[in-house]
Amino acid sequence: MHQRTVPCQGYFAPQKIEEALEILFKYGKEIKVIAGGTDLLIQYCDRLYEVGSWLDLKNIEELKDIRINKNQMEIGAMVTHTQLEKSEDIKKYFPVLSQAAADIGSPQIRNRGTIGGNIVNASPAGDLLAPLMAYDAQFKLLSTQGEVIVPAEEFFIGPKKTILEPAQLLTGIILPLPSERTFGCWIKIGKRKALIIATITLALVVEMAEDNKTVKEVRTCLGSVAPTPIEIKEIREKMIGKKFSELDFNQLGQIVEDKISPIDDIRGTREYRKDVAKNIMINALEKIGSAWRSHK
Ligand SMILES: Cc1cc2nc3c(=O)[nH]c(=O)nc-3n(C[C@H](O)[C@H](O)[C@H](O)COP(=O)(O)OP(=O)(O)OC[C@H]3O[C@@H](n4cnc5c(N)ncnc54)[C@H](O)[C@@H]3O)c2cc1C
């Protein structure tokens, strides 16, 4: 058992975002933001850092909502994985995100862990990151200096590294509502079915054009294969403007395999991950194909 050497100086649990921002501005790097604590407290007990004070977001109700406004959805940073999994709106518009949330940890972890914590923790294996990129998410970063909105793909800069500054809070996630001709697939591969950190994840989202035959847009995003979640943009060139029924799934799977450069680690070798990436891409295309055919 580790003992903490630096006693905690203070604990703040404000009810308003503005108060939280003031506290963050005042304490800067001396304070640690805590959401569900499911990543943070483990890292704290492992003594990966020392904490002067805590800024707990648990009382800020504004951060716990899922709202639809015109053509976009905004998810508060304190929305839990259980909320994501159970929300009828998320199931309807963003099923890949809902399924990914349902695959996280255990019920206890899903009840406490938040979308904001998953994003800011920025683990290459964070389950929500590839789905968020696949749905073209943007993140709202707020400080006393004002608001900045950044696309998900610009937010992550390395394993556990983001562009978030010490005085900024992630307050919300903005997702454009997809058309009803949008189909998605989520695949998580791990060593067992539950309570497992992913060896590789794939979030594939395909939007059909108005003819409901031609691919209008596609995003192929993977987790656990690079220091950050990535999109395989080469897939766009091969799919957009093509008839879905004429796609060569094997070739598309091969592109995914060729374009990733994963490392060996305790969860899997580089070769294993490349091989699996190809197979799950083919599998995801097949699943999207059958959902599309039954929707026609
Ligand atoms: C047993 C176990 C199983 C797990 N299984 C999975 C899994 O299957 N898949 C998976 O992806 N993860 C898993 N996790 C990791 C973890 O549960 C998730 O990453 C979770 O989403 C983290 O959210 P949190 O609210 O607990 O974050 P916290 O631990 O509170 O915070 C994480 C980081 O984000 C920062 N932060 C949080 N919210 C904000 C905000 N709004 N603004 C600015 N900074 C913020 C904190 O300062 C900290 O650096 C597991 C963890 C455990 C302990």
Side-chain angles (χ1 to χ4, degrees), residues 172-184:
I173 294 91
I174 302 168
L175 295 161
L177 291 187
S179 78
E180 58 173 18
R181 298 177 307 278
T182 302
F183 303 89

Side-chain angles (χ1 to χ4, degrees), residues 241-258:
K242 309 271 164 49
K243 297 261 186 304
F244 190 86
S245 58
E246 291 169 12
L247 295 174
D248 181 342
F249 290 0
N250 199 54
Q251 182 199 38
L252 294 164
Q254 192 61 50
I255 293 173
V256 172
E257 176 176 341
D258 292 345

Side-chain angles (χ1 to χ4, degrees), residues 24 32-43 49 57 63 77-79 81 100 103-106 109-110 112-123 125-129 164 168-172 188 194-198:
L24 211 50
K32 199 79 185 159
V33 173
I34 181 163
T38 60
D39 275 318
L40 204 52
L41 292 177
I42 286 174
Q43 295 159 6
Y49 52 80
L57 304 180
L63 297 179
M78 287 295 286
V79 164
H81 304 311
D103 269 350
I104 290 182
S106 58
I109 293 293
R110 292 196 290 277
R112 279 208 71 87
T114 63
I115 185 169
N118 201 255
I119 293 168
V120 178
N121 190 56
S123 159
D127 280 339
L128 301 185
L129 311 186
L164 191 78
Q168 285 178 321
L169 271 186
L170 168 68
T171 54
K188 173 175 177 175
L195 247 180
I196 192 69
I197 303 293

Side-chain angles (χ1 to χ4, degrees), residues 25-245:
F25 180 70
K26 184 169 166 206
Y27 287 83
K29 286 185 179 156
E30 301 302 310
I31 199 160
K32 199 79 185 159
V33 173
I34 181 163
T38 60
D39 275 318
L40 204 52
L41 292 177
I42 286 174
Q43 295 159 6
Y44 185 51
C45 292
D46 286 344
R47 300 181 76 175
L48 296 185
Y49 52 80
E50 300 291 359
V51 175
S53 304
W54 297 101
L55 172 58
D56 195 334
L57 304 180
K58 71 175 182 193
N59 292 331
I60 309 182
E61 295 301 321
E62 293 170 78
L63 297 179
K64 298 180 186 173
D65 283 344
I66 298 172
R67 265 173 303 193
I68 294 180
N69 187 6
K70 294 190 187 133
N71 52 0
Q72 62 187 32
M73 178 179 279
E74 185 169 338
I75 303 174
M78 287 295 286
V79 164
T80 62
H81 304 311
T82 301
Q83 270 178 283
L84 290 177
E85 178 191 352
K86 308 270 186 231
S87 156
E88 290 304 325
D89 283 335
I90 304 256
K91 278 188 212 166
K92 175 175 170 194
Y93 292 108
F94 305 107
V96 173
L97 186 62
S98 167
Q99 288 157 23
D103 269 350
I104 290 182
S106 58
Q108 293 89 333
I109 293 293
R110 292 196 290 277
N111 285 341
R112 279 208 71 87
T114 63
I115 185 169
N118 201 255
I119 293 168
V120 178
N121 190 56
S123 159
D127 280 339
L128 301 185
L129 311 186
L132 288 169
M133 275 179 62
Y135 282 125
D136 204 12
Q138 294 184 301
F139 301 154
K140 260 188 175 179
L141 313 181
L142 203 60
S143 73
T144 51
Q145 307 303 302
E147 183 180 278
V148 186
I149 295 182
V150 291
E153 64 180 334
E154 289 174 20
F155 184 76
F156 304 103
I157 51 179
K160 308 224 169 218
K161 289 201 178 70
T162 74
I163 60 165
L164 191 78
E165 290 174 7
Q168 285 178 321
L169 271 186
L170 168 68
T171 54
I173 294 91
I174 302 168
L175 295 161
L177 291 187
S179 78
E180 58 173 18
R181 298 177 307 278
T182 302
F183 303 89
C185 184
W186 162 251
I187 298 181
K188 173 175 177 175
I189 303 291
K191 288 201 168 167
R192 12 168 235 268
K193 287 210 163 139
L195 247 180
I196 192 69
I197 303 293
T199 308
I200 181 167
T201 59
L202 170 69
L204 179 64
V205 174
V206 179
E207 183 188 356
M208 298 297 179
E210 284 186 2
D211 66 359
N212 206 16
K213 290 183 182 141
T214 312
V215 176
K216 183 176 175 195
E217 184 58 90
V218 57
R219 286 175 180 266
T220 314
C221 298
L222 289 105
S224 281
V225 295
T228 63
I230 54 165
E231 184 193 351
I232 309 293
K233 294 205 165 133
E234 290 75 6
I235 293 292
R236 291 192 195 188
E237 291 157 32
K238 296 285 176 203
M239 284 181 67
I240 294 177
K242 309 271 164 49
K243 297 261 186 304
F244 190 86
S245 58

